[in-house]
Amino acid sequence: MNKNLKLTTKQIYIATLFNLLIILYIGCKYLKYTENISGFLSYFYMVASLIGHFFLIGILPFLISLIILYTFKSISICKIIFSVLSVAIIIYLQIDILVYSQFRYHLSPIVFKLLFGKRATDTFQFSAINILISIIFILGLVVCEIFILYISKKIANRIINLHIKLILSFITFCLLCTHLLFAWSDANRYRSIAQMKNIYPVFFPLTADKLLHKLNLVDKNEIEKNTLLSKSYSKAIIKYPLHPIKSQNSKKKNILFIVIDSWRFNCMTEKITPNIYQLSKQSQVFQNHKSGSNMTTGGIFSLFYAIPATYYDQFTGLQISPVFFEELKKQNYNLSILSSSTLENPPFNKNVFSGIKNLRLDSQGNSSSERDKDIYNEWIKFINMQSSNKKPFFSFLFFDSAHGFDYPADYPVKFKPTLNEVNYLVLNDTFDPLPFLNRYKNSLNFIDNLIGGVLKKLEQKGLLESTLVLITGDHGQEFNDNHKGYWQHGGNFTDYQIATPLIIYDSAKKPASYTYLTLHYDIIPTIMSSILGVQNNYNDYSEGKDLYISGNRDWFICGYNQKYAIVENNMIINIYSSGMYDVVDKNLNPLDDSKIDLNIVKEAVKENTRFYNISKNKKK
């Protein structure tokens, strides 16, 4: 029996080496996303860290299966556990690199929730061919593992010396270099190496800032710069608003927010969105408008709170309602919140809409277009009842079809050629974006048709003139416009992913067009002041300015907790949750960090902490 256990141990060890080759192959794909690699030290670190880190990932099935083998003395169970875990790890890495290539986020609890949480298909929609390819891939891995175990057994029977000590010594050397070099690079902000913390999945390298500081092995100027970018106030207490809201309102005007998920800034045209386009001729049109994020999470947060979504986690944990909704309730507005995608994932029911009773969390339908129809029908019911209601109303319609590139099967297709279905697996640098973009435009045209019905209903009920109608997007949408391999949104902070149309119809204002920069942060303060009669200074509850007053704005914060940026006129400073950062221009070309204006960074840090109560009673 002991002889069989030893033979099985050798077999599993050899199989682990084969699996490591597969894992290293996947790991090499992450190196595509490194920037500014130069010099022997950087290239040496890439090789050492690739071998060391992915060995740690690949060794887990070996260690766990050996524990099973020597605990239960069962060779069959050991091999099954080894195969299952090996397949699971390879699948995990393959999914992670797919997600990372499009969104620049690794699999994490938040991403897993979006992928597998309630109504996950609202966020990620997969075609039949995607599912079929995934099944074939998994079955192929299972067959591959069976073959690897078979070959490994043959090798184990023939080879006596496996050079285990030599191989482990080499890998140990790689691991030591990985963590020691990272600690030095992190302390000195040598980004060519330190950037790997954000690129590799589940990578938690050694840091030793204090020790290296004591040994005088750090650059103090670099430490000061990093402190400004990564300062954390996660233990602070929220103070929002800074002062109680005071208001005096006699207008009691209705307010309708229509938000289109993933609405690209140049897709409000007479052909794509004819109904919105016609309304824009009677409205205030903001031609240089940006969202507060490149994702729905931060886009909706920044729209209703008018502050950066870097506060997202804290506000969600404390379930702090926006002052806007508290004011609407105080002024006895009738509220209607209708979202095509669920309000539980992301959990807007725990932040933006946390103060609203009897919140409608879900919509009916098996696709984005069906759910968009559902919220349209529900809104029609609401407005029919509203005509006999003397209270003013606030209504929020959140359409999702453009996010899912969806429209009904019988809907007339206006833009051709178009994709019959979206296969996310084929999106790469050489993929022709035109059919994909046309499908997106067709989905926008479908949404516009529903919005046309909304506007017509308001007019029929005699409510259009007494209603402020605001139409915008939660963020933009990219189709590899920067030629950097980015598709959709959530990957960068260029205009393609954060710029979106903004149209406001207000019968009290003459039609006008504005070209200066405006932000989602400006919308709520403007409405709070002009419509709700709020007398507070905007700074009490927002980062915004009056939409109708042009002013200098050299930078703004965009994004949310996991990754945000300081977006300037000619550069973007990306700041990661780890505290690391990189600097690019508006076309995502790397820039020297010496171009960073530290005064702007200080202002951004101040803005990111303005609504925290930071205790000053620290021990000296």
Side-chain angles (χ1 to χ4, degrees):
M1 183 65 181
N2 288 335
K3 184 178 180 180
N4 289 334
L5 292 180
K6 289 182 179 179
L7 181 62
T8 302
T9 301
K10 289 175 65 178
Q11 179 188 5
I12 297 299
Y13 170 76
I14 295 169
T16 299
L17 295 181
F18 278 115
N19 283 332
L20 183 59
L21 293 177
I22 298 174
I23 291 171
L24 286 175
Y25 170 74
I26 298 174
C28 287
K29 296 180 181 181
Y30 290 97
L31 301 181
K32 176 183 176 181
Y33 304 101
T34 57
E35 295 180 345
N36 299 326
I37 297 295
S38 61
F40 171 79
L41 188 63
S42 297
Y43 286 107
F44 171 79
Y45 186 84
M46 285 177 61
V47 175
S49 62
L50 182 71
I51 295 171
H53 178 60
F54 286 96
F55 171 80
L56 286 181
I57 295 175
I59 198 68
L60 289 175
F62 174 76
L63 296 176
I64 294 173
S65 60
L66 283 193
I67 292 172
I68 298 294
L69 177 64
Y70 285 96
T71 301
F72 300 100
K73 313 296 182 184
S74 173
I75 294 174
S76 298
I77 294 177
C78 167
K79 291 181 179 179
I80 291 173
I81 294 295
F82 175 82
S83 298
V84 170
L85 291 177
S86 297
V87 168
I89 285 175
I90 293 171
I91 291 173
Y92 170 87
L93 290 174
Q94 189 60 47
I95 295 174
D96 184 84
I97 188 60
L98 181 63
V99 171
Y100 189 82
S101 67
Q102 293 190 34
F103 299 101
R104 299 304 192 272
Y105 288 102
H106 291 295
L107 292 177
S108 64
I110 291 177
V111 176
F112 271 117
K113 188 172 183 181
L114 291 174
L115 281 168
F116 305 112
K118 182 177 181 181
R119 298 288 296 276
T121 54
D122 291 0
T123 307
F124 295 92
Q125 300 187 20
F126 300 98
S127 65
I129 190 65
N130 292 149
I131 296 172
L132 179 61
I133 291 173
S134 299
I135 292 173
I136 294 172
F137 177 74
I138 293 171
L139 292 176
L141 282 179
V142 172
V143 172
C144 182
E145 280 303 316
I146 294 172
F147 179 73
I148 286 174
L149 283 173
Y150 173 78
I151 293 296
S152 298
K153 187 174 182 180
K154 294 289 186 182
I155 296 173
N157 284 323
R158 293 187 178 184
I159 299 178
I160 298 175
N161 188 357
L162 298 176
H163 302 288
I164 294 176
K165 291 183 179 179
L166 179 62
I167 292 174
L168 290 180
S169 296
F170 173 70
I171 292 175
T172 301
F173 171 75
C174 289
L175 281 170
L176 287 173
C177 291
T178 297
H179 290 275
L180 293 177
L181 279 176
F182 183 89
W184 175 84
S185 300
D186 181 66
N188 287 276
R189 295 305 172 261
Y190 185 66
R191 290 212 319 275
S192 186
I193 288 177
Q195 67 177 310
M196 303 309 295
K197 183 174 183 178
N198 300 308
I199 293 174
Y200 286 154
V202 290
F203 187 39
F204 306 102
L206 175 71
T207 57
D209 288 19
K210 290 183 179 180
L211 175 61
L212 293 173
H213 183 80
K214 289 180 179 179
L215 296 174
N216 200 28
L217 296 175
V218 296
D219 185 328
K220 293 182 179 180
N221 292 328
E222 289 295 325
I223 291 177
E224 181 183 355
K225 184 184 295 183
N226 181 69
T227 300
L228 288 171
L229 293 168
S230 63
K231 195 172 183 181
S232 173
Y233 293 91
S234 59
K235 295 181 179 179
I237 300 171
I238 298 294
K239 182 176 176 59
Y240 165 88
L242 298 179
H243 300 98
I245 300 298
K246 298 179 181 179
S247 62
Q248 186 174 0
N249 184 19
S250 59
K251 295 182 180 180
K252 300 295 183 183
K253 195 162 193 172
N254 302 315
I255 304 170
L256 170 61
F257 273 31
I258 300 175
V259 179
I260 300 173
D261 199 331
S262 311
W263 194 14
R264 187 178 164 96
F265 69 92
N266 59 359
C267 286
M268 195 280 288
T269 68
E270 187 172 13
K271 189 173 182 180
I272 300 172
T273 55
N275 291 296
I276 300 173
Y277 180 82
Q278 288 303 317
L279 181 70
S280 73
K281 297 302 180 183
Q282 311 168 53
S283 305
Q284 314 294 301
V285 180
F286 299 87
Q287 298 182 3
N288 186 20
H289 186 75
K290 307 292 193 297
S291 171
S293 184
N294 57 5
M295 295 179 70
T296 297
T297 308
I300 296 298
F301 186 97
S302 64
L303 173 63
F304 284 108
Y305 285 99
I307 62 175
T310 48
Y311 292 95
Y312 185 92
D313 284 348
Q314 290 82 0
F315 277 55
T316 302
L318 296 172
Q319 296 197 25
I320 299 173
S321 175
V323 293
F324 176 63
F325 282 119
E326 294 306 300
E327 190 61 30
L328 288 174
K329 289 191 295 182
K330 187 176 80 174
Q331 297 191 19
N332 205 27
Y333 269 72
N334 194 14
L335 304 179
S336 172
I337 308 299
L338 297 168
S339 175
S340 176
S341 58
T342 178
L343 294 178
E344 293 183 284
N345 187 23
F348 292 127
N349 61 318
K350 295 183 179 179
N351 46 55
V352 174
F353 306 114
S354 60
I356 298 176
K357 295 180 179 179
N358 303 316
L359 182 66
R360 184 181 189 265
L361 297 175
D362 300 300
S363 296
Q364 301 301 312
N366 296 318
S367 65
S368 300
S369 58
E370 289 182 4
R371 291 190 292 272
D372 281 356
K373 284 183 179 179
D374 182 57
I375 66 170
Y376 169 79
N377 291 331
E378 287 298 312
W379 185 84
I380 295 296
K381 294 177 185 177
F382 167 79
I383 213 68
N384 282 333
M385 295 174 60
Q386 184 63 31
S387 58
S388 60
N389 195 330
K390 294 183 179 180
K391 295 195 300 183
F393 71 82
F394 169 84
S395 191
F396 172 64
L397 283 167
F398 190 19
F399 291 105
D400 195 47
S401 290
H403 180 267
F405 308 99
D406 187 40
Y407 46 84
D410 59 351
Y411 190 77
V413 173
K414 181 180 288 188
F415 300 93
K416 298 177 181 180
T418 186
L419 296 179
N420 292 325
E421 59 182 17
V422 179
N423 183 0
Y424 298 101
L425 301 178
V426 300
L427 298 179
N428 54 40
D429 292 342
T430 60
F431 185 81
D432 180 10
L434 180 61
F436 191 14
L437 179 59
N438 281 341
R439 184 176 179 89
Y440 168 75
K441 290 179 179 178
N442 288 323
S443 65
L444 282 173
N445 185 255
F446 164 68
I447 294 173
D448 177 79
N449 186 54
L450 296 178
I451 292 174
V454 169
L455 299 174
K456 185 176 180 180
K457 190 68 176 180
L458 282 175
E459 199 165 13
Q460 288 175 347
K461 290 290 183 180
L463 293 171
L464 185 59
E465 294 302 301
S466 60
T467 302
L468 181 143
V469 181
L470 181 147
I471 309 177
T472 190
D474 58 345
H475 52 73
Q477 187 81 327
E478 183 174 359
F479 293 89
N480 198 26
D481 300 270
N482 288 302
H483 304 291
K484 302 287 186 180
Y486 288 93
W487 297 87
Q488 303 189 67
H489 53 270
N492 63 63
F493 297 97
T494 61
D495 285 354
Y496 296 107
Q497 296 200 22
I498 67 172
T500 188
L502 173 62
I503 299 99
I504 299 178
Y505 172 79
D506 185 345
S507 60
K509 291 183 177 293
K510 294 181 179 180
S513 182
Y514 307 89
T515 58
Y516 53 79
L517 176 63
T518 58
L519 304 173
H520 267 15
Y521 304 129
D522 304 330
I523 292 172
I524 292 301
T526 302
I527 293 176
M528 291 271 279
S529 175
S530 62
I531 304 297
L532 300 181
V534 171
Q535 300 167 359
N536 293 61
N537 188 296
Y538 291 170
N539 288 334
D540 275 355
Y541 57 89
S542 80
E543 191 184 310
K545 301 178 180 180
D546 193 317
L547 281 167
Y548 301 107
I549 299 177
S550 175
N552 293 327
R553 189 176 241 141
D554 297 325
W555 62 274
F556 62 95
I557 296 168
C558 192
Y560 81 116
N561 297 71
Q562 288 194 358
K563 179 184 177 182
Y564 71 93
I566 301 171
V567 180
E568 300 182 44
N569 295 327
N570 299 310
M571 75 164 62
I572 302 168
I573 306 173
N574 296 303
I575 303 173
Y576 303 90
S577 58
S578 62
M580 296 303 299
Y581 65 95
D582 58 53
V583 188
V584 295
D585 64 17
K586 287 303 185 77
N587 295 313
L588 298 180
N589 299 308
L591 295 175
D592 189 336
D593 62 9
S594 64
K595 297 181 179 294
I596 292 177
D597 184 339
L598 288 183
N599 290 323
I600 290 178
V601 174
K602 289 177 181 177
E603 289 300 313
V605 170
K606 186 185 299 183
E607 191 58 48
N608 265 341
T609 60
R610 202 158 55 84
F611 295 102
Y612 289 119
N613 259 334
I614 303 171
S615 175
K616 297 180 180 180
N617 299 322
K618 297 180 180 180
K619 294 182 180 180
K620 296 182 178 180

